[in-house]
């Protein structure tokens, strides 16, 4: 199914891959269990954990291939500049662990992220609370410049 997902990202002449209902039933379903020893409301305060999450987002899981943070990243997924403002940390954690448990038809793949890495990524995303130069901010700045 990873190949099918990648084919949706690029224009090509390959025939579409059709998943039958039977194939969909055979796919593993993963429930997301929340770690009991995590204080999600205090995650953004843990600078070391947030920095580890930033490293994971930038260099390990390839999140910037689809998502934009500041002036870096892709345009397939939503910008994450305000992820900490828009979503609660416990929801972010569940989404990172298994986005299809929340939204079955999402384009975001289940990456098999460990609990520890998901907590670190959640801590990092919880720190992103405002505009940091994403494409929307750049478009607004360009429009303002052209007015002058």
């Amino acid at each position: 199914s990873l190949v099918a997902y990648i084919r949706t990202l690029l224009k090509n002449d390959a025939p579409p891959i059709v998943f039958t209902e039977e194939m969909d039933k055979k796919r593993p379903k993963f429930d997301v269990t929340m770690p009991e020893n995590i204080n999600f409301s205090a995650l953004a305060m843990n600078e070391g954990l947030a920095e580890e999450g930033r490293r994971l987002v930038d260099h390990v899981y390839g999140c910037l291939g689809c998502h934009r943070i500041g002036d870096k990243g892709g345009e397939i997924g939503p910008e994450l500049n305000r992820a900490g403002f828009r979503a609660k940390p416990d929801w972010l954690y569940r989404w990172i662990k298994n986005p299809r448990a929340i939204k079955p038809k999402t384009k975001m793949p289940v990456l098999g992220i460990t609990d520890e890495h998901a907590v670190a990524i959640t801590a990092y995303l919880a720190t992103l609370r405002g505009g940091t130069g994403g494409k929307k901010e750049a478009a607004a700045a360009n429009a303002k410049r052209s007015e002058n």
Side-chain angles (χ1 to χ4, degrees):
S1 80
L2 179 60
V3 171
Y5 172 73
I6 291 172
R7 283 186 179 177
T8 66
L9 303 178
L10 306 170
K11 295 188 186 312
N12 62 54
D13 295 332
I17 296 175
V18 179
F19 291 105
T20 64
E21 225 176 278
E22 181 64 29
M23 293 167 85
D24 198 41
K25 287 179 184 175
K26 289 181 180 177
R27 291 183 184 183
K29 306 285 188 223
F30 301 100
D31 290 329
V32 177
T33 55
M34 302 295 285
E36 295 178 20
N37 59 344
I38 299 296
N39 179 359
F40 282 99
S41 59
L43 277 181
M45 307 282 206
N46 187 331
E47 291 179 20
L49 192 59
E51 189 56 38
E52 173 64 9
R54 178 185 200 133
R55 185 187 71 75
L56 294 169
V57 165
D58 289 352
H59 303 293
V60 176
Y61 289 105
C63 303
L64 297 180
C66 295
H67 297 281
R68 177 173 290 278
I69 299 175
D71 61 353
K72 298 187 308 185
E75 296 183 4
I76 295 167
E79 289 183 11
L80 299 178
N81 296 327
R82 295 172 37 94
F85 179 75
R86 292 179 22 215
K88 294 181 178 180
D90 59 326
W91 185 91
L92 286 170
Y93 175 84
R94 288 194 313 272
W95 180 263
I96 291 164
K97 285 292 290 177
N98 187 0
R100 296 197 175 152
I102 296 170
K103 187 176 178 186
K105 303 262 183 206
T106 185
K107 287 185 177 181
M108 183 164 165
V110 177
L111 298 170
I113 297 174
T114 66
D115 290 346
E116 295 80 16
H117 285 182
V119 168
I121 292 169
T122 301
Y124 170 56
L125 294 178
T127 67
L128 302 178
R129 303 190 60 80
T132 56
K135 64 183 175 184
K136 289 179 185 172
E137 289 85 358
N142 287 337
K144 192 172 187 175
R145 261 187 251 132
S146 64
E147 289 175 3
N148 295 333

